[in-house]
Amino acid sequence: MTTPSNWQRKLLLMFRSEKRLNAGKVIKNYDGKSFDDMKATTITESMCDIETLTDERKSKALECHLNNLKHQSLGESELCFYHNTLIILMRRKYKMDKIFAEFERLWVAENHYLLENLSLRWIVSACDTFIDHSDNVNRAAILMNVITLMNTVRTYETKNFLQAPPAAEPIPLLDEKTDILYAGDLSLYDGLTYFRIGTDDSLRNMRKRYHKFYKVDKLATTILLAVFEKLQNNQSAFATLRQLHKDDWSKWWLD
């Protein structure tokens, strides 16, 4: 293994410093602001530095990254942006114990608000953050269900995109295929079958098993069930199956 030279070490230190430069000032901007204050404040263009916006997905410079993120958050509350800022700071390894304690305090106090107002992208990022930083093994284990669920959905949707790019309008369901799946079990692979359209109780049973986690960790289970419900109301495979489901007893979504 090659030992880095002095200039390489200096370059690495400069890079790390740039990633966290002015992080203290960023946090200080929220001194004296309550969660309610931040909920009442909406992100507007006047709060962004328009001249320094970049097309970079993730700028090395912290303040530039946060400025880009703030511009992407126009119309959202400052509390949502504050939540996302805490995650960015932890990813850049800035005072992780202190920032995670604040992140956890925010979720305990405002989990219902965050689940209602954050996008799935940032809810998933929050789950990653709990898994990476929490000492609560049960919480991490429950939230891994969210990550597994979302990565499976995204993998499936990516496969669909690669094989047949999405049309401008929803593709109509083929009656002959739905009839086959209504009729009974259709082999998939390795002993698995496709869902029995209209009557399959697998997702209902999965949701019931999720509910059992409430006894272990209420916060993590609340997040898990909220994410699962959001998938029923977006253009996902779950929503397609819901559209075709006929059996009221085995439905897996909330009315």
Side-chain angles (χ1 to χ4, degrees):
M1 183 175 176
T2 305
T3 303
S5 63
N6 286 336
W7 73 267
Q8 286 174 322
R9 282 194 290 267
K10 288 180 181 178
L11 195 63
L12 182 61
L13 288 172
M14 287 174 60
F15 175 71
R16 288 175 176 171
S17 176
E18 185 181 27
K19 286 181 69 177
R20 295 188 283 271
L21 188 64
N22 292 326
K25 185 177 79 173
V26 169
I27 285 297
K28 196 168 183 178
N29 288 335
Y30 297 98
D31 283 354
K33 289 187 177 181
S34 68
F35 292 159
D36 284 339
D37 290 336
M38 287 188 268
K39 281 193 285 187
T41 303
T42 301
I43 301 293
T44 63
E45 198 166 88
S46 65
M47 300 168 70
C48 307
D49 187 347
I50 304 299
E51 294 182 357
T52 62
L53 290 174
T54 72
D55 293 329
E56 291 182 274
R57 179 177 176 270
K58 188 184 296 184
S59 174
K60 293 177 184 177
L62 173 61
E63 286 189 294
C64 184
H65 186 183
L66 290 176
N67 186 54
N68 287 343
L69 179 60
K70 183 175 286 187
H71 193 260
Q72 295 166 18
S73 305
L74 296 178
E76 298 178 7
S77 75
E78 190 177 31
L79 188 66
C80 289
F81 179 72
Y82 177 62
H83 167 270
N84 302 343
T85 298
L86 294 177
I87 292 178
I88 297 300
L89 291 174
M90 282 183 279
R91 286 178 180 172
R92 292 179 179 237
K93 302 186 186 304
Y94 175 74
K95 295 186 177 180
M96 290 184 289
D97 289 346
K98 180 180 179 181
I99 300 298
F100 179 70
E102 173 66 1
F103 172 84
E104 194 166 40
R105 183 177 78 90
L106 172 57
W107 267 100
V108 169
E110 298 289 350
N111 58 85
H112 293 296
Y113 179 86
L114 294 174
L115 289 170
E116 185 175 340
N117 291 280
L118 289 175
S119 68
L120 273 173
R121 168 196 173 187
W122 285 105
I123 294 173
V124 170
S125 292
C127 293
D128 282 331
T129 302
F130 274 117
I131 293 165
D132 290 343
H133 297 282
S134 178
D135 292 329
N136 187 330
V137 177
N138 289 329
R139 176 165 294 174
I142 292 170
L143 292 177
M144 270 304 302
N145 285 277
V146 174
I147 305 306
T148 303
L149 182 62
M150 294 306 302
N151 283 340
T152 301
V153 168
R154 291 176 67 233
T155 300
Y156 166 82
E157 297 292 3
T158 303
K159 172 180 177 289
N160 272 0
F161 175 80
L162 290 171
Q163 292 182 330
E169 297 294 331
I171 299 173
L173 300 170
L174 299 177
D175 289 340
E176 62 268 25
K177 287 189 175 181
T178 56
D179 287 346
I180 291 171
L181 294 174
Y182 273 124
D185 293 332
L186 180 65
S187 180
L188 180 56
Y189 51 76
D190 204 11
L192 296 175
T193 60
Y194 288 94
F195 273 86
R196 296 187 310 279
I197 294 296
T199 59
D200 203 303
D201 62 0
S202 301
L203 292 177
R204 171 186 179 272
N205 292 338
M206 186 170 82
R207 186 178 196 119
K208 284 180 64 179
R209 293 180 181 114
Y210 283 166
H211 268 278
K212 291 182 179 180
F213 293 149
Y214 269 123
K215 298 176 183 178
V216 180
D217 191 295
K218 184 178 179 181
L219 174 60
T221 306
T222 298
I223 296 172
L224 171 59
L225 287 168
V227 169
F228 186 62
E229 187 62 26
K230 284 177 182 288
L231 288 174
Q232 316 309 315
N233 297 291
N234 280 287
Q235 294 180 9
S236 69
F238 294 102
T240 301
L241 293 183
R242 173 181 175 173
Q243 177 187 341
L244 295 169
H245 202 73
K246 294 182 176 180
D247 179 29
D248 191 60
W249 177 84
S250 59
K251 68 181 183 183
W252 59 87
W253 61 90
L254 297 179
D255 289 324

